[in-house]
Structure formats: C-alpha cells, structure tokens
Amino acid sequence: KNLRFIKCGAEYLERHIKEKSINGIFLNFSCPFPKKSYASHRLTHINFLNIYKKLMKKDAEIHQKTDNMHFFEFSIEQFTLGGFILKNISLDLHNSDFEGNIETEYEHRFASLGQPIYRLEAKLNND
C-alpha cells in the first residue's frame, strides 16, 4: 500500500503523485548524462529537485547512489542550491562504516570492478 512504481519521466511525477505524500526517494545509479549540455536531464538537477520538494513530506529524504564522481559532485551542488541538508555522504561506500546498505545489481557490478560507490542522503531544510 505504501509503494508505487510509475513508468514516466520525472517531470510528470506531479500528475501521478499527491503533494506532500512521499516519505522517500531513492535515486540509485540514475543516468549521469555526462555531457554538460544534458545537465538538465539529470535527476538531481534543480528542476527535478523542485518537483520532488512539492511531493515530499516534511521529514522525507532523498537517497542517492552512483558510481560517477562528476555526477555526484554535480548532485551535491544541486542539493545545496535546492535547500537540502546533506548527511551520510560517502565517497567510497563499500570501504566505509555505513551500515544498512542494500546493494543493487549495478552497484555490485561497479564495486566488483573496484569502482568506488558514492552515496548521500538529502533532507529538506524545513527551517
């Protein structure tokens, strides 16, 4: 009852999800769109963060994992610009003391190649 799968572009989420109804968003290994000209397509771009903010409950969080350092750095900038508070930032998740990680298929593949996994949690600053 508390989980939804929607197949649509993130720009259409407001059509399907009520405002202030989401407890959390997990962005696991989303496409980094490495070319700068495609930055606005990244799921952590400020345009998408503004959509998520409308949908998120007061204490909701966004959790992000990626193997792409540049995308991760971009995401940190965007979350900060969007008024989010960052916590549990890891530049190498598998060599950190973070507990409770649920490893995805992509994560397993990238980690087995020796690539660091970047992770963060972003919470709305409701002050």
Side-chain angles (χ1 to χ4, degrees), residues 17-25 55-58 60:
I17 301 173
K18 255 182 5 182
E19 279 193 26
K20 307 293 182 205
S21 66
I22 292 180
N23 289 318
I25 297 173
L55 304 176
M56 294 169 68
K57 291 182 178 180
K58 182 181 179 193

Side-chain angles (χ1 to χ4, degrees), residues 35-69:
K35 291 184 180 179
K36 284 188 178 186
S37 60
Y38 290 110
S40 65
H41 296 279
R42 298 173 186 155
L43 291 180
T44 55
H45 188 274
I46 191 71
N47 293 342
F48 292 117
L49 296 181
N50 287 332
I51 292 170
Y52 307 152
K53 284 165 50 172
K54 292 176 189 175
L55 304 176
M56 294 169 68
K57 291 182 178 180
K58 182 181 179 193
D59 292 324
E61 294 181 340
I62 299 174
H63 294 202
Q64 180 191 22
K65 288 197 282 188
T66 182
D67 65 310
N68 188 296
M69 180 187 67

Side-chain angles (χ1 to χ4, degrees), residues 11 17 29 40 42 52 66 87-88 91 98 101 109 116:
E11 63 272 19
I17 301 173
F29 300 91
S40 65
R42 298 173 186 155
Y52 307 152
T66 182
K87 64 180 187 175
N88 292 323
L91 302 178
F98 181 79
N101 182 47
R109 184 171 55 165

Side-chain angles (χ1 to χ4, degrees), residues 61-79:
E61 294 181 340
I62 299 174
H63 294 202
Q64 180 191 22
K65 288 197 282 188
T66 182
D67 65 310
N68 188 296
M69 180 187 67
H70 298 295
F71 177 41
F72 192 69
E73 291 169 345
F74 170 87
S75 298
I76 288 173
E77 291 173 5
Q78 296 295 294
F79 281 120

